[in-house]
Amino acid sequence: MASISFFESLPAPSLSSSLPATNTSRLQTPSFSVPHLSPQLKHSSRIICNAQTTTAFAVSRRNAMVGLFSGCIATQVITHDRAFAEQSVGFREYIDFFDGYSLRYPQTWIQVKGAGADIFFRDPFVLDENLSVNISSPSSSYYKSVEDLGPPEEAGKNVLKQYLTEFMSTRLGVRRESNVLSASSRVADDGRLYYQIEVNIKSYANNNELAVMPQERVVRKEWDRRYLSVLGVENSRLYELRLQVPEDVLREAENDIRQVMDSFRVNKVTV
């Protein structure tokens, strides 16, 4: 059984996992066959497409942001559920033909370069709400199925361990509380098996870590975030879609987050 500890370096937290399926329209992307490309041409093999929009209401912060960025977005509704559509933002489609994956992301989010992931998008107003994709190295990993990670529950523990390793701090008085909220598997409409992991991590720290008297070191909560991962295997590589959202934002953003998760697909690349 393969270990999940291979993940490449990921974005720092400041830049910025069984999940219930929502009644959304899922993206089905066929396998891609592309000619061999040099690393210099990799950027040209990635496409960001305009997606379909939904009905927007000014009373919501997320829908208000849609009005700022929706000039080039089409008007077709991307869900069959009218009530759901009224609460959701529009989406764009991102396809990486070179590495072999695709997803949809909220149209108001922006891409961040040099964030340490294969791709990274974030909400321009809530910086701790973001997504990234990480892929195992083709030279150091050979996966046949996501089941190589063990059952979803075991994969969930390893995902959480990986997050905690990345969030290790050298500051005095820092404490983290974490737990796996759910771990499940599903077969998507492309016939592939995916794992979905959802964890919560809270960070606490002293307000005066160098104080001599204990009463002067007051512990406060720094942040409370939900981390959601979708794991898939193709091209002998392990792909992980990561989403991060503050817990106090999740209620408002959950519909959109679930749609992004459902849209993630890995695709066969033939060179």
Side-chain angles (χ1 to χ4, degrees), residues 2-74:
S3 170
I4 198 172
S5 62
F6 66 86
F7 289 146
E8 301 169 355
S9 61
L10 296 127
S14 60
L15 287 178
S16 32
S17 182
S18 85
L19 300 180
T22 55
N23 184 18
T24 61
S25 174
R26 296 188 174 183
L27 173 69
Q28 183 174 3
T29 307
S31 299
F32 299 114
S33 178
V34 299
H36 177 72
L37 297 176
S38 65
Q40 292 81 4
L41 294 179
K42 178 177 178 180
H43 178 71
S44 64
S45 68
R46 295 179 172 181
I47 296 178
I48 298 178
C49 307
N50 286 343
Q52 306 144 333
T53 59
T54 61
T55 305
F57 290 89
V59 295
S60 168
R61 174 189 64 83
R62 300 178 65 80
N63 289 325
M65 290 190 295
V66 173
L68 299 176
F69 295 91
S70 60
C72 62
I73 306 301

Side-chain angles (χ1 to χ4, degrees), residues 183-194:
S184 65
S185 63
R186 66 179 176 89
V187 177
D189 53 12
D190 60 356
R192 294 179 177 86
L193 180 67
Y194 295 85

Side-chain angles (χ1 to χ4, degrees), residues 55-128:
T55 305
F57 290 89
V59 295
S60 168
R61 174 189 64 83
R62 300 178 65 80
N63 289 325
M65 290 190 295
V66 173
L68 299 176
F69 295 91
S70 60
C72 62
I73 306 301
T75 57
Q76 182 178 354
V77 173
I78 63 174
T79 175
H80 299 294
D81 187 332
R82 179 179 176 83
F84 187 86
E86 291 177 347
Q87 299 176 21
S88 179
V89 301
F91 289 83
R92 286 193 176 96
E93 182 180 359
Y94 179 84
I95 305 175
D96 188 329
F97 291 98
F98 186 89
D99 285 314
Y101 67 88
S102 61
L103 57 88
R104 292 183 303 179
Y105 67 96
Q107 57 141 330
T108 57
W109 289 19
I110 60 175
Q111 183 176 354
V112 177
K113 302 289 187 178
D118 193 73
I119 193 68
F120 186 91
F121 293 99
R122 75 181 182 195
D123 187 319
F125 300 96
V126 183
L127 302 188
D128 286 337

Side-chain angles (χ1 to χ4, degrees), residues 3 17 19 32 37 70 72 93 141 171 175 180 198 212 230 239-240:
S3 170
S17 182
L19 300 180
F32 299 114
L37 297 176
S70 60
C72 62
E93 182 180 359
S141 63
R171 293 181 297 150
R175 175 172 57 88
V180 178
E198 186 171 348
V212 176
V230 181
Y239 297 74
E240 183 186 17

Side-chain angles (χ1 to χ4, degrees), residues 85-228:
E86 291 177 347
Q87 299 176 21
S88 179
V89 301
F91 289 83
R92 286 193 176 96
E93 182 180 359
Y94 179 84
I95 305 175
D96 188 329
F97 291 98
F98 186 89
D99 285 314
Y101 67 88
S102 61
L103 57 88
R104 292 183 303 179
Y105 67 96
Q107 57 141 330
T108 57
W109 289 19
I110 60 175
Q111 183 176 354
V112 177
K113 302 289 187 178
D118 193 73
I119 193 68
F120 186 91
F121 293 99
R122 75 181 182 195
D123 187 319
F125 300 96
V126 183
L127 302 188
D128 286 337
E129 186 179 0
N130 53 60
L131 70 83
S132 61
V133 174
N134 296 275
I135 314 172
S136 64
S137 171
S139 62
S140 61
S141 63
Y142 186 83
Y143 290 87
K144 294 181 179 180
S145 168
V146 71
E147 293 177 302
D148 289 346
L149 302 175
E153 294 77 14
E154 183 173 349
K157 293 178 182 178
N158 287 328
V159 167
L160 177 57
K161 181 179 179 181
Q162 180 69 23
Y163 276 121
L164 293 176
T165 298
E166 295 166 9
F167 297 152
M168 289 181 63
S169 175
T170 58
R171 293 181 297 150
L172 298 175
V174 174
R175 175 172 57 88
R176 301 279 160 74
E177 291 183 359
S178 62
N179 62 301
V180 178
L181 301 178
S182 62
S184 65
S185 63
R186 66 179 176 89
V187 177
D189 53 12
D190 60 356
R192 294 179 177 86
L193 180 67
Y194 295 85
Y195 282 178
Q196 295 189 158
I197 312 297
E198 186 171 348
V199 306
N200 169 263
I201 303 177
K202 299 179 178 67
S203 178
Y204 297 86
N206 296 328
N207 66 334
N208 188 0
E209 59 190 38
L210 298 179
V212 176
M213 304 302 294
Q215 60 270 25
E216 296 177 349
R217 299 191 296 269
V218 179
V219 177
R220 72 184 189 281
K221 183 166 64 177
E222 294 184 303
W223 46 263
D224 181 3
R225 301 177 186 145
R226 187 77 59 96
Y227 295 92
L228 308 100

